[in-house]
Amino acid sequence: EVQLVESGGGLVQPGGSLRLSCAVSGFTFSNYYMSWVRQAPGKGLEWVANIREDGSEKFYVDSVKGRFTISRDNAKNSLYLQMNSLRTDDTALYYCVRGAEDFDSSGFYYPESGFDYWGQGTLVTVSS
Amino acid sequence: QSVLTQPPSASGSPGQRVAISCSGSSSNIGSNHVYWYQQLPGTAPKYLIYRNNQRPSGVPDRFSGSKSGTSASLAISGVRSEDDAHYYCSVWDDSLSGWVFGGGTKLTVL
């Protein structure tokens, strides 16, 4: 059974830092793209960042560039999000999500065909 | 404002067909596959439609997706009370080099 379990959320003051972790099990972690997606209270979904299977490539939403860093430890089956210079608008439930592997009928391979498994999320509250 | 535009709400009576639209641009829907997610109250989103019109195993066939040009649509035929949820479209945006989501549509089953 695929499981993604986030931890590390909490209350932090503006300008502070937090490190989120996601422990995964039930699949070969090193074979998959991974992402963080967040949802502010009562709002929609916002993709935050993703990381390639081997950690060699990372992308971020503009609003977190230079402040957040996504990383992974394939030996520990874990995904991380280091969040610095936190702002009140970073307040959200942060989901750890797996990129779906997909092959179409012609055999073309999609390494990140959307997000097929989601954790339950960890809440980050930025407030003074 | 989201890069992808969805109506904030939709409704239908049990058994009716409901469609939810998702409008984008040439850098996202116009050049990449569209994905749809269902979020029931208090739960994490669920992978509903992938690569425009494919259903993961376990998703009922009353859910279908389509894409034309820079727009996509999720249709639910024979809507049921358990379909009362938020629905989000998503796609990779080549200009932003990142995934984008629509603002979400709250489907109310009357």
Side-chain angles (χ1 to χ4, degrees):
Chain A
E1 180 191 6
V2 172
Q3 288 196 317
L4 302 92
V5 180
E6 304 93 338
S7 60
L11 174 63
V12 62
Q13 292 189 334
S17 298
L18 274 180
R19 188 193 195 209
L20 306 184
S21 298
C22 173
V24 313
S25 59
F27 64 99
T28 304
F29 180 64
S30 59
N31 288 352
Y32 289 85
Y33 269 75
M34 297 294 296
S35 281
W36 289 96
V37 174
R38 66 184 179 183
Q39 187 169 34
K43 302 298 184 183
L45 302 172
E46 180 181 40
W47 172 82
V48 175
N50 71 352
I51 185 168
R52 196 172 179 148
E53 299 97 321
D54 60 2
S56 62
E57 193 171 50
K58 307 171 187 180
F59 292 99
Y60 299 88
V61 68
D62 282 349
S63 59
V64 309
K65 284 178 182 174
R67 300 188 301 124
F68 290 12
T69 301
I70 190 172
S71 62
R72 64 192 296 161
D73 186 333
N74 287 345
K76 294 183 177 180
N77 290 335
S78 293
L79 178 72
Y80 306 100
L81 186 67
Q82 177 66 43
M83 303 186 296
N84 298 329
S85 302
L86 282 161
R87 310 188 306 216
T88 55
D89 61 356
D90 294 318
T91 294
L93 186 64
Y94 283 74
Y95 292 104
C96 168
V97 302
R98 189 181 85 167
E101 277 194 317
D102 177 26
F103 292 87
D104 67 17
S105 56
S106 63
F108 190 84
Y109 174 62
Y110 300 88
E112 192 181 31
S113 188
F115 311 118
D116 58 353
Y117 284 93
W118 299 61
Q120 286 307 300
T122 186
L123 182 63
V124 172
T125 303
V126 185
S127 174
S128 55
Chain B
Q1 299 85 336
S2 302
V3 172
L4 303 179
T5 301
Q6 295 181 237
S9 63
S11 63
S13 299
Q16 284 188 329
R17 181 182 184 275
V18 174
I20 297 171
S21 62
C22 176
S23 178
S25 67
S26 59
S27 65
N28 44 65
I29 294 179
S31 49
N32 294 300
H33 295 305
V34 178
Y35 301 82
W36 290 90
Y37 301 88
Q38 176 194 59
Q39 188 174 32
L40 298 170
T43 70
K46 173 187 174 182
Y47 194 50
L48 193 66
I49 295 288
Y50 68 99
R51 215 173 348 111
N52 304 324
N53 55 18
Q54 303 297 303
R55 281 187 309 277
S57 61
V59 173
D61 61 7
R62 66 177 182 277
F63 291 94
S64 63
S66 63
K67 185 185 106 166
S68 178
T70 58
S71 293
S73 181
L74 173 71
I76 309 171
S77 58
V79 71
R80 303 172 69 163
S81 58
E82 57 260 41
D83 301 332
D84 196 298
H86 280 88
Y87 293 85
Y88 296 91
C89 58
S90 179
V91 63
W92 179 265
D93 190 295
D94 292 334
S95 295
L96 298 174
S97 293
W99 289 93
V100 291
F101 284 93
T105 298
K106 174 63 174 72
L107 172 64
T108 300
V109 181
L110 303 170

